[in-house]
Every structure is written in C-alpha cells, then in structure tokens.
Amino acid sequence: MSPILARIRGVEPTLTATHRRIAEAILAEPAAVAASTIGELAERCGTSLTTITRFCRELGLAGYPELRLALAADLGRNDATPREQSLIAFSPDDPVSLVLRSLLASDMRAMEETAAQLDLEAVDQAVSVLVNARFIDFFAVSGSAGVAMDLHLRLHTIGRPCALWTDVHSAVCSANARDNRDVALGISHSGTTAEVVEPLTIAKERGATTIAVTNFPRSPLAEAADIVLTTAAQDTPFRAGGVAARHTQMLVLDCLYIGVVQRTHETSNQLLTAATGAVAKHRLPPR
C-alpha cells in the first residue's frame, strides 16, 4: 500500500470542505490521529462518524481502523529511518548547515514516498507506448520544462522521435497533428497548468496515448491522461510552485528512460556509444 500521508496530500485539493478539514487534521498530527478513536477524530473535526468513514472510503480504505493502521505504518517507517526534521520555514538566522540537512531530509523523504506509491504497472505501460510510438510530444512549462528537457534530449539521443514544447501555441499545433500512432506526455506538479493540460487534451482527442506526470492524481492533467504517474512532493515556504517536485519528477522520468533503453538495448547502446564519441572532441583536456 502506498504511504497514506502522501495519498492524502495528493487528493486534498479536490476534497470537499468537510473532508479537507479531516485531511488537514490528519496531516497536522498523524500520530495523534493514529492513537484516536473515530469519535475523537469526528469531535476534533466537528463532523460525524459517518463522514469520517466516507472520507476513509474516498481514500480507498475499508474504514477508520484501516486508516489508523496505515498511519501507524507510515509513522513506523519514519521512526525506522530517523533524519533531520524538515524545516517548515527558514528564518534569516538559520545556518547553512541546518538548511542543507533540512533540504536533504525533505528531498529524500519525497523521493522515497514517490517510489513507494508509484504505480509500477502504469510505468511499464508508459514504457511500452514510448517504445512503440511513431512520435512523442512533451508538454511542460517553467521548472517542469527543465526536467522534461532532460528526458527529451536523452530519448532523442537513442533515436526516439520526439519534441519538447514549452510554448502553448506550438504545443497545440503539434498536438493537433497526433493520431493513434503517437504519444503525448505532459508534466505539471500541480496538474492545473493550462498550457500543459490543453495540448495534452487535444492530443488525446486526436487519438494519441497520453501520459501525465503530476503530484495530484485527481487534477485536470491526470483526467486528460490515459496513464497517470504520480509524484509525492510537498511544497514548503521558499520552495513553492513545484520547486520541491523536481527531484521526484526526475525519478519518475528516469524510470521511463531506463525502461526504454532496456527494451531497445542493442540500438540504444550503439547510439549512445556513437554519441559519446561524437562529443568527446569537444571536451577540453585536463591541465
């Protein structure tokens, strides 16, 4: 089972006001909730026992006892691998050593939670369609575009026909040229970036297989995708807007790239060897 806290964070933006109040209570004090009865949680959130049960079922759980067990498992994993606590907010007086430890702890936690909840069957399916695609479109903007560029360049190096579009006008034009032989992959931490959602939706309407990489499995981007690959990063002050998501996005895209290389090993190995030789002459000799 995927980490329950990551799952709750992922669906929180799409919850009703009442269910969001429950989610916030759990995320704020997971240990306290794990030790509470359903009645105690209902009282804390100002809601009913039935609403708590419905919230659990919305998470895919049978009921409140399963939620408590999942929280205990999450907390147990955290206790088994103690690390520096991530800072909620950095102050002007924080030494760089504390900032560094906090960043490391935060990013490692996000990577581990992403790996734990990632749908490996969906990864395998995504690799298959990327290998067989006539053409691959990448749609991303801002920070996600930098991550997408890395995968685009690496797939291009091993002979996969692909292009990265960071301008929505160009993106929608390319999306309109897709059909059922093609693949379109959109990357957005929030899953609400219109410049990414729009071309991915168009590509799907034209018959292309669509893939979404997002932190929120109920986002508009996820709804426009045939295959959804989710990350598990938390925004924090000074790292909002998906900055904290870059490493988790790269982890997911790395899995896709390695999967493609594995299934096209002979051709990919030849092209990688040739590429290494081609750029070698552009490296300056050591002094």
Side-chain angles (χ1 to χ4, degrees), residues 8-61:
I8 292 172
R9 285 195 298 268
V11 302
E12 185 182 5
T14 65
L15 298 175
T16 64
T18 303
H19 282 188
R20 188 176 299 179
R21 195 159 63 245
I22 299 169
E24 289 170 351
I26 295 170
L27 294 173
E29 296 183 281
V33 174
S36 300
T37 66
I38 186 171
E40 290 169 340
L41 180 58
E43 183 177 357
R44 182 181 307 173
C45 298
T47 190
S48 66
L49 306 185
T50 301
T51 301
I52 299 291
T53 300
R54 287 176 182 156
F55 171 81
C56 295
R57 289 175 179 167
E58 189 165 1
L59 295 175
L61 305 173

Side-chain angles (χ1 to χ4, degrees), residues 25-230:
I26 295 170
L27 294 173
E29 296 183 281
V33 174
S36 300
T37 66
I38 186 171
E40 290 169 340
L41 180 58
E43 183 177 357
R44 182 181 307 173
C45 298
T47 190
S48 66
L49 306 185
T50 301
T51 301
I52 299 291
T53 300
R54 287 176 182 156
F55 171 81
C56 295
R57 289 175 179 167
E58 189 165 1
L59 295 175
L61 305 173
Y64 187 66
E66 191 174 351
L67 173 62
R68 291 180 65 187
L69 288 172
L71 287 171
D74 257 17
L75 295 168
R77 278 192 292 269
N78 295 344
D79 290 342
T81 56
R83 296 197 183 97
E84 295 286 338
Q85 291 296 313
S86 299
L87 293 174
I88 300 301
F90 297 107
S91 75
D93 299 325
D94 289 327
V96 67
S97 59
L98 179 59
V99 171
L100 179 59
R101 291 198 304 271
S102 177
L103 290 174
L104 180 61
S106 176
D107 286 352
M108 290 183 69
R109 175 69 55 78
M111 297 272 278
E112 288 178 351
E113 290 189 351
T114 294
Q117 59 81 52
L118 189 60
D119 185 340
L120 299 184
E121 289 185 5
V123 171
D124 188 68
Q125 185 181 0
V127 169
S128 294
V129 298
L130 289 171
V131 167
N132 294 313
R134 177 189 66 161
F135 192 84
I136 304 164
D137 273 327
F138 293 101
F139 304 129
V141 298
S142 190
S144 294
V147 179
M149 182 181 295
D150 180 78
L151 179 60
H152 163 244
L153 291 175
R154 287 194 288 165
L155 289 181
H156 183 74
T157 300
I158 61 171
R160 298 293 100 189
C162 56
L164 167 62
W165 308 102
T166 59
D167 170 75
V168 68
H169 292 212
S170 302
V172 297
C173 288
S174 188
N176 269 296
R178 298 301 125 231
D179 61 27
N180 59 9
R181 297 169 292 177
D182 305 315
V183 171
L185 191 155
I187 306 173
S188 167
H189 172 68
S190 69
T192 61
T193 306
E195 293 86 349
V196 179
V197 176
E198 182 183 359
L200 196 74
T201 301
I202 292 172
K204 184 173 184 177
E205 292 170 349
R206 296 295 182 268
T209 301
T210 51
I211 304 170
V213 177
T214 179
N215 210 70
F216 299 96
R218 296 182 183 177
S219 61
L221 186 68
E223 292 174 0
D226 299 304
I227 304 169
V228 180
L229 306 175
T230 52

Side-chain angles (χ1 to χ4, degrees), residues 265-279:
H265 181 263
E266 185 174 346
T267 301
S268 293
N269 190 52
Q270 291 175 353
L271 290 171
L272 286 170
T273 300
T276 300
V279 301

